[in-house]
Amino acid sequence: MSAPKSKIIPSRSAKRAHFDPESIYPILDEALFCTISYSVDNQPFSIPTSFVRHENKIYIHGSVGSHFIREIEKGIPVCITVMLVDALVVAKSAFSHSVNYRSVVIFAQAEVIDDIDLKTASFEWLTNKIVPGSWGYLRPVKGNEVKKTTALAFALDEASAKMRSGMPIDEEEDQDLPIWSGLIPLKTSRLEPISDSSSENILLPEHLL
Amino acid sequence: MSAPKSKIIPSRSAKRAHFDPESIYPILDEALFCTISYSVDNQPFSIPTSFVRHENKIYIHGSVGSHFIREIEKGIPVCITVMLVDALVVAKSAFSHSVNYRSVVIFAQAEVIDDIDLKTASFEWLTNKIVPGSWGYLRPVKGNEVKKTTALAFALDEASAKMRSGMPIDEEEDQDLPIWSGLIPLKTSRLEPISDSSSENILLPEHLL
């Protein structure tokens, strides 16, 4: 994975930047959503959307008629960010508070996926990411559904990960203050599935147990 | 709150858009992070950051030396997105899968907060948002800490909320299929605080119990 152009790395926290797939892929594989930004006449727009990584690209899907999709499928530059927050970092001073996070920034241009097999595969990858093991259980996808959807890929050639972990770092003169400092871990969980009215008599499939 | 210019509303889901503070403020008050996008020569950049809403503005903080802060403090157009995901919406077909979410999009320009009292107040609001009730417990903020930090405000005059709730909506011909459909709720929780080595003998303050 090549390093991003220097102009596109916000410089302040460059020490936290990583460019290797071993840092980047696990973050992309854990996060369900990214935010895609693009710009028209220097007016930025950004949209949260679900995505899936496969090999050295990420894939998103959208309606053929969506304004957002129609703009970015032109191949204009986009910036894609992914952010996982692991803990609030509570210091003895407000100024030293921080966040333990893992984030990825990608600079890329959309590549429209026309190949039907690859397009269908990208639906499968995304569906199995959102609900692992579910693709083969669902009603099979239909040709017109594939047609009504645009699939876009973005190469990860200009991607970087940043992360912070560990305890707060207070100013030296604050370290003996009798003020509690430490971490408040954050965790996102999937709760028990809730059946809709059509499924009350249908057993939960194994992949949802 | 005035309606955004039509050109800046991605049109597809306009039926889900809300422009009233009663829709927008609770989302901004629950979300700890937003993603701020800006553009330089039509190259978009975006950065996740913490923020706090007060009255009809949101406030962010950053290091005086940060590249990102120095760009957006010029007052260039930014797009700020906030996304809370409430549930995965699992339909009988992959195509009808969706997400229950609450999101806000803000179009604005940064306003630099020079007034020391307002700047300090914005630190207090943010600190008390991240860890409710903590500001008065922490070591008081110092003048040079306020100086080393840039506080920026963004008006919510061009903000809109979008949300989806409720059960999956399958195609009519799919509704009787013996395939489970429903919701998988997602929940982000704060776990038990973890003391750092300097705090092992310090009682957890009441606001963290």
Side-chain angles (χ1 to χ4, degrees):
Chain A
M1 196 165 299
S2 66
K5 296 165 200 156
S6 62
K7 67 155 190 160
I8 58 181
I9 310 177
S11 59
R12 190 74 189 167
S13 302
K15 58 181 175 188
R16 287 180 186 161
H18 302 261
F19 303 102
D20 54 300
E22 293 69 28
S23 300
I24 292 169
Y25 290 178
I27 301 170
L28 297 177
D29 295 346
E30 181 174 336
L32 297 181
F33 297 91
C34 64
T35 300
I36 302 194
S37 305
Y38 63 99
S39 152
V40 177
D41 298 334
N42 269 318
Q43 167 66 57
F45 298 85
S46 62
I47 313 265
T49 189
S50 57
F51 75 99
V52 64
R53 180 193 68 83
H54 183 78
E55 295 174 352
N56 201 40
K57 292 181 179 173
I58 65 165
Y59 294 80
I60 69 159
H61 301 100
S63 166
V64 166
S66 131
H67 178 80
F68 152 63
I69 292 286
R70 280 184 293 145
E71 283 296 332
I72 65 171
E73 74 181 0
K74 295 174 188 166
I76 59 177
V78 303
C79 177
I80 302 174
T81 52
V82 166
M83 169 87 154
L84 297 169
V85 181
D86 296 318
L88 306 174
V89 178
V90 177
K92 298 180 194 296
S93 73
F95 188 75
S96 295
H97 275 45
S98 187
V99 172
N100 284 346
Y101 66 93
R102 290 167 290 147
S103 72
V104 171
V105 178
I106 302 161
F107 295 97
Q109 298 84 38
E111 176 192 334
V112 179
I113 305 298
D114 287 322
D115 180 89
I116 293 292
D117 291 339
L118 178 56
K119 204 168 159 180
T120 307
S122 73
F123 293 148
E124 177 175 348
W125 300 328
L126 182 63
T127 305
N128 278 336
K129 180 186 184 187
I130 303 290
V131 186
S134 68
W135 178 260
Y137 170 80
L138 300 169
R139 187 267 283 152
V141 74
K142 293 175 181 169
N144 71 329
E145 294 174 336
V146 178
K147 265 190 212 134
K148 277 195 282 190
T149 306
T150 299
L152 301 177
F154 300 89
L156 298 176
D157 299 330
E158 286 190 40
S160 60
K162 276 199 225 165
M163 46 203 88
R164 188 208 187 274
S165 60
M167 286 292 171
I169 303 174
D170 268 295
E171 302 288 323
E172 216 175 305
E173 72 254 35
D174 291 338
Q175 290 181 0
D176 292 330
L177 292 175
I179 296 174
W180 186 90
S181 52
L183 301 178
I184 303 175
L186 299 181
K187 189 176 179 214
T188 299
S189 325
R190 294 176 179 225
L191 306 185
E192 199 147 323
I194 301 171
S195 299
D196 70 12
S197 57
S198 76
S199 300
E200 278 161 9
N201 298 316
I202 300 175
L203 279 181
L204 259 188
E206 207 155 308
H207 62 267
L208 287 178
L209 288 178
Chain B
M1 196 165 300
S2 66
K5 297 166 199 155
S6 62
K7 69 156 187 158
I8 60 180
I9 310 179
S11 58
R12 190 74 190 168
S13 301
K15 57 181 177 192
R16 287 180 186 159
H18 301 262
F19 303 101
D20 54 299
E22 293 70 28
S23 300
I24 293 168
Y25 290 179
I27 300 170
L28 297 177
D29 295 347
E30 181 174 335
L32 297 180
F33 297 91
C34 65
T35 300
I36 303 194
S37 305
Y38 63 98
S39 152
V40 177
D41 298 335
N42 269 319
Q43 168 66 55
F45 298 85
S46 62
I47 313 264
T49 190
S50 58
F51 74 100
V52 63
R53 181 192 66 84
H54 183 78
E55 296 173 352
N56 201 40
K57 292 182 179 172
I58 65 166
Y59 295 80
I60 69 159
H61 301 100
S63 165
V64 165
S66 130
H67 179 81
F68 152 65
I69 292 286
R70 280 184 292 147
E71 282 297 330
I72 65 171
E73 74 181 0
K74 295 174 186 165
I76 60 177
V78 303
C79 178
I80 303 173
T81 52
V82 166
M83 169 88 155
L84 297 169
V85 181
D86 296 319
L88 305 175
V89 178
V90 178
K92 298 181 195 296
S93 74
F95 188 76
S96 295
H97 275 45
S98 187
V99 172
N100 283 347
Y101 67 93
R102 290 167 289 146
S103 71
V104 171
V105 177
I106 302 161
F107 294 97
Q109 298 83 38
E111 176 192 333
V112 179
I113 305 298
D114 287 321
D115 180 90
I116 293 291
D117 292 339
L118 178 55
K119 205 169 159 180
T120 307
S122 72
F123 293 148
E124 176 175 350
W125 300 328
L126 182 63
T127 305
N128 279 336
K129 180 187 185 188
I130 304 289
V131 186
S134 68
W135 178 260
Y137 171 80
L138 300 170
R139 187 265 285 151
V141 74
K142 293 175 182 170
N144 71 330
E145 294 174 336
V146 178
K147 266 190 213 134
K148 277 195 283 191
T149 306
T150 300
L152 301 176
F154 301 89
L156 297 175
D157 298 331
E158 286 190 42
S160 59
K162 275 199 227 166
M163 46 202 89
R164 187 207 188 274
S165 60
M167 286 292 170
I169 302 174
D170 268 297
E171 302 289 322
E172 218 175 301
E173 70 254 35
D174 291 336
Q175 290 180 2
D176 292 330
L177 292 175
I179 296 175
W180 186 90
S181 52
L183 302 178
I184 303 175
L186 298 182
K187 190 177 178 213
T188 299
S189 322
R190 293 175 180 226
L191 306 186
E192 200 148 322
I194 302 171
S195 300
D196 69 13
S197 57
S198 77
S199 298
E200 279 162 8
N201 298 315
I202 299 174
L203 278 181
L204 259 189
E206 207 155 309
H207 62 265
L208 286 179
L209 289 177

